[in-house]
Amino acid sequence: MNGKITSFQLSMLLITFIGVSNHVILIPILLDTSNRDAWVSVLFAIVPSLMLGLLYGYMYKHIPASLSTWAYEKTNPLIGFIFSLLFSVYFLTQASISLRDTIVWSNTTYLTYTPTWVVGLCLIGACYFTARKGLAAIAITNGILLPWIVVFGLYVLTVNFQFKDYSYLFPVFKNSALSITQGAWYTTSGITEIFLVFFLKDDVRGKLSRKYMILVVFILIELMFEPLAGIMAMFGPFEAAMLRYPTYEQWRMASIGSMLSQTDFLSIYQWLAGAFIRISLAIYIIQTLWVKKWRHPEILLLLITLLLFVINQFKLSDVTFHNHVKTYYMVSSLFCGGVSVVILIGIWAGKNKKAVKRNG
């Protein structure tokens, strides 16, 4: 299934791909960094996130093809190789973080006696077969999974409202300006993952309009703000900061009357569906970076999947992993920022060259 997808499907993929990291991975980091002011950090990140979304929309409009195709055609082989290698590490890290976090969470909640390698093999095997079918298959699968993720999210928001005390969110600005700024930086770092659209332009029909970009950014911010504020209102900022998976813990409070007292199994669907789409899309993008240099794309895809599986078999303490994730978000935002500057220079240089040719 190698057909092109629409800009609407691309927007839905962005919501799932980035939403799972904003919702699951970044919230513990924000609570650890900014504590009670974590929700204020998210509000401070709205303006830079919108500016970033509009900038990416402008860049997407003006690049002639997918970034991997552009780099392959316009640069020499060495620069093309370095480009492919850097972004392979970038997307491999994204997929690895999601895979490891999902494995550890599964082992500590509902699969306590299942070996980690079995959980990892089942998840990454499903991701491999989906990525093998192409971007259209990933987008269609996401179109089926995402609406239910949203429905279950609205459910837990509604039924847990009775347990929330929003006075826990105040007073604000009890932490240093540095910690609030760091929290805003982490939030904006999550939004920088919209960068992936530059690798999918060859596979997308139509334009990715400014309206879509603004809407996606607002949804991603909401996916972080609402659960973050809700968790703090439910458990308090200090207790919430001590929870490893605060987003999951609110599900343990959710029930439907006295007849159905435990509905946290719905969170398993939410988490696995988000991680499945995120890992599948990352594997697919990594393949597109090398497929023009590789004679056997099937073997390439298998090697990427095996590498991802092997990486996640290394033993790593949860504290060390948490610190590595914080470092990743800091470094990746700077990396994407630097590459964005290079792309903008390339776009403007191309415009000037066309203007010179036109004027004789």
Side-chain angles (χ1 to χ4, degrees):
M1 191 180 293
N2 296 317
K4 292 191 174 186
I5 65 173
T6 65
S7 54
F8 176 72
Q9 287 177 306
L10 177 59
S11 301
M12 291 181 69
L13 278 173
L14 288 174
I15 291 168
T16 308
F17 185 93
I18 305 172
V20 68
S21 63
N22 284 8
H23 197 73
V24 171
I25 299 170
L26 276 175
I27 284 179
I29 293 175
L30 286 175
L31 287 167
D32 183 45
T33 304
S34 305
N35 203 264
R36 194 195 299 271
D37 290 323
W39 67 278
V40 180
S41 298
V42 176
L43 294 180
F44 280 1
I46 291 176
V47 173
S49 296
L50 282 172
M51 292 173 64
L52 194 64
L54 291 172
L55 175 64
Y56 283 172
Y58 169 83
M59 291 163 60
Y60 181 87
K61 180 181 177 181
H62 288 89
I63 59 173
S66 291
L67 208 54
S68 52
T69 304
W70 197 27
Y72 182 78
E73 293 177 351
K74 300 295 183 181
T75 61
N76 63 55
L78 179 59
I79 294 175
F81 174 80
I82 294 171
F83 171 88
S84 298
L85 185 63
L86 287 174
F87 276 102
S88 293
V89 172
Y90 173 73
F91 287 109
L92 197 67
T93 304
Q94 290 180 348
S96 181
I97 289 171
S98 291
L99 181 60
R100 181 177 289 272
D101 218 30
T102 303
I103 291 170
V104 173
W105 171 72
S106 299
N107 272 136
T108 55
T109 52
Y110 64 96
L111 292 175
T112 52
Y113 295 105
T114 306
T116 57
W117 69 267
V118 174
V119 180
L121 188 63
C122 291
L123 177 56
I124 204 167
C127 295
Y128 162 74
F129 283 109
T130 307
R132 184 182 174 188
K133 293 295 182 181
L135 183 62
I138 299 172
I140 292 169
T141 306
N142 182 60
I144 297 169
L145 298 177
L146 182 58
W148 292 105
I149 295 175
V150 174
V151 168
F152 295 153
L154 293 173
Y155 158 75
V156 74
L157 167 67
T158 305
V159 299
N160 278 346
F161 193 77
Q162 58 184 314
F163 304 118
K164 295 176 183 178
D165 180 2
Y166 283 93
S167 65
Y168 281 132
L169 273 61
F170 301 95
V172 295
F173 303 123
K174 295 291 287 184
N175 295 280
S176 67
L178 178 61
S179 66
I180 296 173
T181 304
Q182 286 178 331
W185 184 288
Y186 282 124
T187 305
T188 310
S189 296
I191 303 299
T192 60
E193 291 187 354
I194 294 176
F195 197 90
L196 71 88
V197 299
F198 301 138
F199 294 89
L200 301 175
K201 186 164 184 177
D202 291 344
D203 300 310
V204 179
R205 296 194 307 269
K207 299 177 181 178
L208 188 62
S209 67
R210 195 177 303 172
K211 175 182 67 177
Y212 275 136
M213 293 300 287
I214 292 173
L215 184 61
V216 166
V217 169
F218 269 120
I219 291 173
L220 292 174
I221 291 290
E222 193 279 334
L223 281 172
M224 187 177 293
F225 178 79
E226 188 285 319
L228 177 61
I231 291 160
M232 293 170 67
M234 187 178 294
F235 300 109
F238 302 106
E239 183 68 27
M242 290 188 288
L243 297 173
R244 178 60 185 92
Y245 301 109
T247 309
Y248 170 72
E249 295 302 327
Q250 64 177 336
W251 273 98
R252 305 184 76 170
M253 304 286 287
S255 62
I256 304 174
S258 58
M259 300 300 293
L260 190 57
S261 59
Q262 292 292 324
T263 57
D264 54 346
F265 59 89
L266 297 175
S267 68
I268 299 173
Y269 171 87
Q270 274 195 317
W271 193 315
L272 290 182
F276 166 70
I277 294 297
R278 184 174 172 85
I279 297 167
S280 299
L281 187 54
I283 292 172
Y284 173 80
I285 293 174
I286 295 170
Q287 184 208 22
T288 62
L289 291 169
W290 298 99
V291 71
K292 291 177 182 176
K293 310 175 186 71
W294 200 279
R295 292 183 180 180
H296 305 287
E298 290 287 339
I299 297 175
L300 172 63
L301 195 64
L302 188 61
L303 287 174
I304 295 167
T305 308
L306 287 173
L307 177 61
L308 189 56
F309 176 75
V310 170
I311 288 171
N312 280 276
Q313 296 312 301
F314 290 106
K315 300 295 182 182
L316 198 66
S317 73
D318 209 41
V319 174
T320 305
F321 173 69
H322 183 68
N323 291 331
H324 284 342
V325 173
K326 290 174 74 173
T327 303
Y328 158 75
Y329 276 104
M330 280 290 182
V331 173
S332 67
S333 59
L334 294 172
F335 173 64
C336 289
V339 176
S340 297
V341 171
V342 174
I343 295 171
L344 283 171
I345 292 171
I347 291 170
W348 293 333
K351 280 186 173 183
N352 290 336
K353 190 179 291 185
K354 286 180 181 178
V356 170
K357 286 182 178 178
R358 195 164 48 242
N359 294 329

